[in-house]
Amino acid sequence: MATDGVVRQHQLVHRLYVDHQGWLNGWFRRQLGCTQKAADLAQDTFVRLLAKGNGLDAIHEPRAYLHTIARGLLINHWRRKQIEQAYLDVIALQPEAVAPSPEEQALVIETLMQVDAMLARLPAKVRQAFLLSQLHGMTYATIAIELGVSERMIKKYMAQAMLHCLTLLEDE
């Protein structure tokens, strides 16, 4: 019985693919100006559909649904490019002897993406307090003044951020 549901879902994804892949690929091409990356992201959109599993037969507006998934993938793509470029800019300032290998660069970029995703899940003030403390070395008192809250609240923000980091590490 369970395999009937899986077969049905694959048929639905296949129908969506046949009906909308060309449109989706064209949309990505217009956004990116790159045929290869457009094809990759269009495929990723349908892979997301396959991973979703149930509920695909409830989609009444397939293009709107695909567009929502595609837009999220495009935002992730641009975000990754932004992080990658910032990292490569820093690497370019290093002497060639200290520059990391391409494999090391890929690992660092992947780690930076994970850190970015983790920070994005924090409330804005918690994230800001955490970054001011960890990246800028500001004291809690200075951060409190900067954010217009009490030092006690900064301690709560930092505890929340640290707990969030630890929870994510435990999940891995």
Side-chain angles (χ1 to χ4, degrees):
M1 285 292 181
T3 57
D4 290 343
V6 172
V7 169
R8 174 78 178 126
Q9 295 300 31
H10 284 226
Q11 289 172 339
L12 289 169
V13 171
H14 176 73
R15 175 58 28 217
L16 287 169
Y17 185 86
V18 168
D19 292 348
H20 302 288
Q21 191 276 340
W23 163 80
L24 188 60
N25 202 346
W27 183 82
F28 274 123
R29 231 181 5 262
R30 285 187 300 281
Q31 300 302 312
L32 297 166
C34 175
T35 305
Q36 292 83 9
K37 194 62 191 168
D40 287 347
L41 289 177
Q43 284 302 112
D44 287 349
T45 303
F46 290 102
V47 168
R48 289 261 172 111
L49 280 178
L50 281 171
K52 181 178 176 7
N54 296 330
L56 296 180
D57 45 2
I59 298 172
H60 299 296
E61 297 291 333
R63 285 199 177 180
Y65 190 80
L66 291 169
H67 182 261
T68 299
I69 294 170
R71 189 170 163 272
L73 288 169
L74 189 60
I75 289 168
N76 289 346
H77 168 75
W78 284 331
R79 186 89 177 134
R80 182 180 183 90
K81 294 291 278 179
Q82 185 181 31
I83 289 171
E84 222 172 281
Q85 190 57 54
Y87 176 67
L88 293 174
D89 290 347
V90 168
I91 295 293
L93 299 174
Q94 303 299 314
E96 194 171 319
V98 211
S101 70
E103 294 83 11
E104 291 170 322
Q105 287 181 24
L107 285 172
V108 168
I109 289 170
E110 191 56 41
T111 302
L112 289 171
M113 291 299 296
Q114 291 171 347
V115 168
D116 180 63
M118 185 245 359
L119 291 172
R121 291 185 204 115
L122 291 172
K125 283 201 174 189
V126 174
R127 178 177 52 249
Q128 195 173 2
F130 182 78
L131 291 173
L132 290 172
S133 171
Q134 299 302 303
L135 295 182
H136 299 287
M138 292 173 68
T139 66
Y140 288 5
T142 308
I143 296 169
I145 293 167
E146 178 81 19
L147 298 183
V149 297
S150 69
E151 189 173 343
R152 181 178 166 97
M153 186 57 72
I154 296 302
K155 289 177 184 177
K156 286 183 180 181
Y157 288 165
M158 292 303 292
Q160 185 179 349
M162 295 296 181
L163 179 62
H164 183 70
C165 292
L166 289 173
T167 303
L168 289 176
L169 288 175
E170 288 175 0
D171 290 344
E172 290 184 359

